[in-house]
Every structure is written in C-alpha cells, then in structure tokens.
Amino acid sequence: MKSLIILGSTGSIGTQALEVAKRDGYKVTALAAGSNIELLEKQAREFGVLAVAVFDEKAAEQLKHNLADTEIKVLGGVEGVCKIAEYDGDIVLNAIVGIAGLRPTLTAINAGKDIALANKETLVTGGELVNKAAREKGVKILPVDSEHSAIFQSLQGAPEGSLRKILLTASGGPFYSKTRADLENVTVKEALNHPNWSMGAKITIDSATLMNKGLEVIEAVHLFGISADNIEVLVHRQSILHSAVELGDGAVIAQLGTPDMRLPIQYALTYPNRSDYAFERLSLTDIGTLTFEKPDTDTFRCLSLCIDAINEGGLAPTAVNGANEEAVKLFLDGKIKFLQIADLVEKALRNVKNKKDFDLDDILETDKQAREFVRKSLDI
Ligand code: NAD
Ligand code: MG
C-alpha cells in the first residue's frame, strides 16, 4: 500500500482525500495546512502521522503546544510546509489553494515523489518549471482536478500523438445565463452558491467568474502538451460529462460520473489501477438529458483573459493568476464588486513585464507585483 503526504489537508479536497485514504487503508505520514490547527490536530491524531506543518507560524507554535503529549513533529512557515512535501511517503497530494502550492510542489518533485495535483495554480504559474523538473526526476504528475482527471482517463490506451482536441466542460457556475447588468450588484453569498459542487471559497468564486475554466485551460496546456487553440470549452450544466478528448480518427472519448471529487482523488492514488468500490454510481436514466453550449465570454471575460495570457506565454499567466487571487480576496472581504475582478485581471495582464526565460524567483516577483498592482489601482 502506498503512503501519502497531504498538503492542504484541512480544505475541501484535503478532507475528501483523507476520506479516500481512510476507506482504502493508505498510510498517511505527514500533513500540512494554512492555519486551521483544530482540524489539523484532529487529523494528525486520527491518522497517527509523523509530522505536520502550519503555514501560519503563530498557529504552528500553538499546535506544537497542543500536540506536546505525542511524538508528532510540528513545523511552521513556508519552509515547514516544504519540509512536509519531502517527508517519507510515496505520493504527495497537493490540495493547497493558490500559488502558495507552487514551492511545495517543486520541492516534492525534487525529492522524487509522484504528485497527485489538485492545486491548479501550481501549473498555471509554474507549468514549465514543474514539467521540466518532473521529466528530470522521472516523477508523475497525476491530475486531481475533475476535468483533467477525465481527460487523463480518456487518454488511457490512446496511441502517442493521437490527441487532436480537448473538450473541457464547465458547469457555468451560479451566474449562468446572466447579463453584465444582472451581475453589477451580485453579493458574495450569491457568488458562493455553486449549483453542483461544494468547494473552497476561492475556487467557488473562480467558478462564478469562469476564471476557474480559464485556469483549467492553462492547466490542460501544461498537462497534455496541447495548444489553447485546440481546447474547446463547453458549458455543460449537469456536470456529469467531466471532459472529453477527440483523437486523430475523429473518435471522441469522455469520462462521466456523478459530481464527486472523491473519484478523481482516488484515481490519482490508484493509477494505473482502479479501486473496486465506488462512492456513488451514476444513473444516466435518472439524469436523462446532457446539454452542451458555447460559453458567454463577453460577460465572463476571465476565461478569454486566461486564453490571452497562455497564448502570450512567459509570465503572463502568473500575472493573471496573482491579480485574480488578490481580487477574489478583496471581493470576499466586501471591498470590490464582482465585475471588478475581471477588470483588475485584465489591467494586470496588460501591465505585466514579461520575459521568455524565467525562473521561480521571476514567478514569485511577478505574482507580488500583480497583487500590488491590484491594490494600487484601487488605492488600498
Ligand atoms: P480550500 O480553501 O477548501 O482548502 C485549501 C487548503 O490549503 C486548506 O487546507 C488550507 O489550510 C491550505 N492552505 C492555504 N494556504 C496555505 C499555505 N500558504 N500553506 C499551506 N497550506 C495552505 O480549497 P479547495 O477547494 O480544497 O481547493 C484546493 C485546490 O484544489 C485549489 O487549487 C483548487 O483550485 C483545487 N481544486 C479544488 C476542487 C474542489 O472541489 N474543491 C476541485 C478541483 C480543483
Ligand atoms: Mg475543475
């Protein structure tokens, strides 16, 4: 049985990953989280891990105190999270939210560990570095994002070089069919009310703006070595067909299932094998109808901005991602309106100081500048 390290264990994906780990009997060796030490402590005790890390240093000190009766090692800060990423364990499941997941991903790859990757911002900002390091170290990057898992599953057995096109499905989010005028005054509560998936706050807002689908186009470019021109985004309200591939002979192969992240999490862990036990089985007659439509990119501009960014390449996707992370935070804090998110992302994209050859420091600096740019343009 493989042993697991889970980064972002207290979040939506992290807790579901622990559920899969418990059911399938994986040994969990180490965990990391941002600041929720109550839940992290409970998880650490339940799974008998060797070590935990908390990004927030003060919270880490408190957790060290709370776990003093155990042998569990407690680390803090970004260095601590990276140490967890290279701990004893076969596979690192990265479910951290945001670019904060990039350094731990690279650390885990450099330690020779396979990655089950939920943290799409890792690939959006550092896709080139991640792919290069993974190639050099001979490690696998196994997608957890449901669409990318569906694409990966659909490609099993497809001959090398036969992929022509990706059909990337999108639920359309809570504001499907709304006009710009409708969106002028939407509230945080309305934006957090996703029709099909229960997820962390940041990705739920990204789903409402369609930024999430834009980030996923970039993620697919890096995972499957295809250009954005060959990725078609389809709005599919039922979230049953999780994405598809078109091969050279015109065959379209898709993966379908209930909207439940535990299946893609489980597949990343069992790959190339499959578990024999489902969390939920799909009844297509209960669903009845599957629909597909073109997205409204005039209203939901974040999707096109991400495609512009990946076509420009270099540091443009990092600028777009950083501006979005900052803008989403400000929207959740009630400081900006919903439609301002796309405006700020666009301004940051037009303002990026781009270059072709870049390293991790350039990415982190561009991220910082994009966030500062957002705050400055709002006078915050
Ligand atoms: P979440 O907000 O529920 O959880 C995020 C986790 O990351 C928490 O455990 C938090 O403590 C931890 N974290 C935050 N900042 C950190 C830091 N600096 N260092 C260490 N840990 C930190 O988010 P989520 O919905 O679980 O999403 C996680 C990632 O998975 C995101 O990149 C998201 O886009 C992706 N994803 C999520 C879903 C989903 O269904 N939730 C689906 C597909 C992809
Ligand atoms: Mg997804």
Side-chain angles (χ1 to χ4, degrees), residues 32-37 40 52-60 75-82 96 100 104:
S35 58
N36 183 349
I37 54 170
L40 188 58
V52 292
V54 190
F55 172 73
D56 180 321
E57 306 255 12
K58 248 182 149 172
L75 307 168
V78 61
E79 301 305 330
V81 174
C82 287
I96 292 175

Side-chain angles (χ1 to χ4, degrees), residues 197-334:
W197 300 95
S198 157
M199 310 179 286
K202 190 254 177 188
I203 183 177
T204 306
I205 301 303
D206 287 351
S207 300
T209 57
L210 287 204
M211 183 74 188
N212 185 49
K213 215 42 58 180
L215 298 176
E216 289 185 355
V217 168
I218 304 176
E219 185 184 10
V221 166
H222 291 298
L223 280 171
F224 304 109
I226 193 168
S227 79
D229 296 344
N230 293 320
I231 301 176
E232 182 181 0
V233 174
L234 304 170
V235 175
H236 165 52
R237 293 295 285 160
Q238 299 79 22
S239 295
I240 296 294
L241 188 148
H242 297 307
S243 281
V245 297
E246 184 188 310
L247 304 181
D249 61 0
V252 173
I253 302 176
Q255 184 256 331
L256 287 76
T258 57
D260 185 333
M261 287 307 297
R262 291 173 299 185
L263 174 56
I265 292 168
Q266 179 177 276
Y267 185 66
L269 302 180
T270 58
Y271 171 84
N273 300 312
R274 283 186 182 270
S275 173
D276 206 24
Y277 180 75
F279 282 97
E280 260 187 283
R281 293 195 187 269
L282 172 66
S283 163
L284 280 173
T285 50
D286 284 354
I287 307 289
T289 308
L290 300 180
T291 57
F292 302 94
E293 299 160 66
K294 285 190 191 306
D296 172 2
T297 49
D298 293 331
T299 306
F300 300 96
R301 284 161 46 233
C302 287
L303 173 55
S304 331
L305 292 170
C306 284
I307 294 170
D308 290 353
I310 187 65
N311 284 335
E312 181 177 331
L315 294 161
T318 297
V320 158
N321 180 73
N324 180 62
E325 285 195 29
E326 198 61 33
V328 169
K329 220 183 274 165
L330 293 168
F331 174 69
L332 287 169
D333 289 346

Side-chain angles (χ1 to χ4, degrees), residues 104-116:
T105 303
L106 289 168
T107 306
I109 296 172
N110 286 325
K113 296 187 193 300
D114 287 337
I115 314 285

